[in-house]
Amino acid sequence: MREFTYERVRTAAEATSALALNPGAKYIAGGTNLLDLMKLQIEVPTHLIDIRDLDLKGIDPTADGGLRVGALVTNTDLASDRRIKQDYAAISRAIVSGATGQLRNKASTAGNLLQRNRCPYFYDTDQPCNKRVPGSGCSAIGGASRGLAVIGTSPACIATYPGDLVVALRLLDASVEMVAVDGTQRTLPISEFYRLPGDTPQIENALAPGELITAIILPPPLGGRHFYQKVRDRASYAFALVSVAAVLHVDGTGRVAFGGVAPKPWRVEEAEQALAEGPEAVVEIAFADAAPTEQNAFKVPLAARALASVIAQSKEANNAL
């Protein structure tokens, strides 16, 4: 790990000002992803700005009946909150299907959003990677690609967004609240927060330089039954090969978002109109532009089977009433 300096701030204004004075700086909260990347010298900040003391740890009601989740709420506190478990259960289920309890105790909500996209070549500094060194090439194309993206990719990158929480947030149409270095605040739908790789795979989201996430805004509850189905190579503590977040209603309508298949959480609203026709019809629309490799082509039919499992669970629960 390279040398760096460190400071601890107490307000968002102090945080953004400190970053403006240190162009090579990074914010750190839980650090569960950043510190790993620093050890591998993939991330090499010259200065760390510790934001753990900021007053961003609350989960508060909004005027329209939703919730405002502070950026520093831990994954454990978010998943166990009574209101989240009752009205936004897809969030709780996604979080507990993820990392270990120790990591969930440390990881922050905003930090979870900012996990870097996952690819073995991104983590191997001996291999060319357009995310680490733009223009150097993508080793995954023509290489080991079993766990990588099948849709939303480009000739520059086929890395996969690894998180679980954000798949549920995309399902629920959450928004991301941010503050800029000059104090300007903005809120962006999570559907617009993540970027596809295109020709610039090193830019994964819409955060401007120095911008700080302050909260996640959840809209009013959707009702229905919430599900998060995660298919992985081992039973726990593994990234998803495919995941499905769903809200399903008794009348057969609902919403569906997929994880483990794209450089961002994948939801195609048009596909949800086909729920009455079955999971294969939904996947056919949602993955219409899929461009899998020979090694990961299994992910498309696996997505249909995972969704079929969720639909079966919903029907079984409804029949038990």
Side-chain angles (χ1 to χ4, degrees):
M1 187 181 291
R2 297 185 186 180
E3 291 185 359
F4 58 89
T5 52
Y6 168 91
E7 69 176 301
R8 197 159 180 167
V9 296
R10 297 191 178 276
T11 67
E14 286 182 12
T16 54
S17 295
L19 196 135
L21 293 172
N22 298 275
K26 289 273 187 181
Y27 299 125
I28 185 169
T32 56
N33 188 215
L34 177 60
L35 292 177
D36 283 344
L37 294 171
M38 289 175 65
K39 291 174 185 177
L40 295 170
Q41 297 191 18
I42 295 168
E43 295 276 10
V44 286
T46 56
H47 185 68
L48 288 182
I49 302 166
D50 192 331
I51 61 172
R52 284 177 293 172
D53 292 335
L54 271 61
D55 185 19
L56 300 174
K57 299 182 178 73
I59 302 176
D60 303 302
T62 59
D64 65 354
L67 290 175
R68 181 182 184 272
V69 180
L72 295 178
V73 173
T74 66
N75 285 182
T76 295
D77 287 345
L78 182 58
S80 61
D81 184 90
R82 175 187 56 81
R83 296 159 295 180
I84 297 294
K85 292 171 71 174
Q86 176 178 301
D87 296 326
Y88 305 94
I91 289 176
S92 292
R93 293 175 178 178
I95 290 173
V96 299
S97 75
T100 64
Q102 294 93 329
L103 285 175
R104 294 198 298 269
N105 288 341
K106 193 72 174 176
S108 67
T109 296
N112 198 296
L113 267 64
L114 297 178
Q115 293 179 84
R116 297 300 305 272
N117 282 4
R118 184 69 50 165
C119 174
Y121 300 101
F122 173 62
Y123 279 78
D124 184 351
T125 54
D126 290 329
Q127 300 292 330
C129 172
N130 287 319
K131 294 176 71 61
R132 279 187 286 100
V133 183
S136 63
C138 176
S139 298
I141 297 176
S145 59
R146 180 176 179 273
L148 301 182
V150 298
I151 196 164
T153 59
S154 77
C157 184
I158 59 172
T160 313
Y161 179 80
D164 298 293
L165 168 60
V166 174
V167 183
L169 295 179
R170 177 68 182 93
L171 174 79
L172 300 169
D173 278 334
S175 298
V176 185
E177 180 186 281
M178 298 161 279
V179 61
V181 172
D182 63 2
T184 302
Q185 295 184 345
R186 65 173 177 142
T187 302
L188 196 65
I190 204 159
S191 59
E192 300 176 19
F193 183 74
Y194 293 98
R195 294 179 46 154
L196 294 178
D199 296 328
T200 55
Q202 73 277 13
I203 303 174
E204 295 175 350
N205 57 59
L207 275 175
E211 205 166 23
L212 176 70
I213 295 176
T214 51
I216 302 302
I217 310 300
L218 299 176
L222 292 172
R225 295 189 181 277
H226 290 221
F227 298 89
Y228 190 77
Q229 183 88 17
K230 183 174 181 178
V231 184
R232 44 195 163 179
D233 280 328
R234 60 178 189 267
S236 62
Y237 313 142
F239 294 107
L241 290 171
V242 168
S243 64
V244 176
V247 172
L248 299 175
H249 301 282
V250 176
D251 64 2
T253 62
R255 295 183 181 185
V256 179
F258 297 93
V261 296
K264 64 178 185 178
W266 197 255
R267 180 180 171 208
V268 178
E269 284 84 341
E270 179 188 354
E272 296 164 357
Q273 306 307 311
L275 272 167
E277 301 172 37
E280 291 80 8
V282 174
V283 167
E284 182 178 359
I285 298 171
F287 289 80
D289 297 324
T293 68
E294 183 178 347
Q295 295 176 25
N296 65 18
F298 71 92
K299 286 193 174 192
V300 178
L302 182 59
R305 292 197 294 272
L307 178 55
S309 174
V310 166
I311 293 172
Q313 292 174 54
S314 180
K315 289 180 177 178
E316 182 178 352
N318 289 334
N319 290 337
L321 293 178

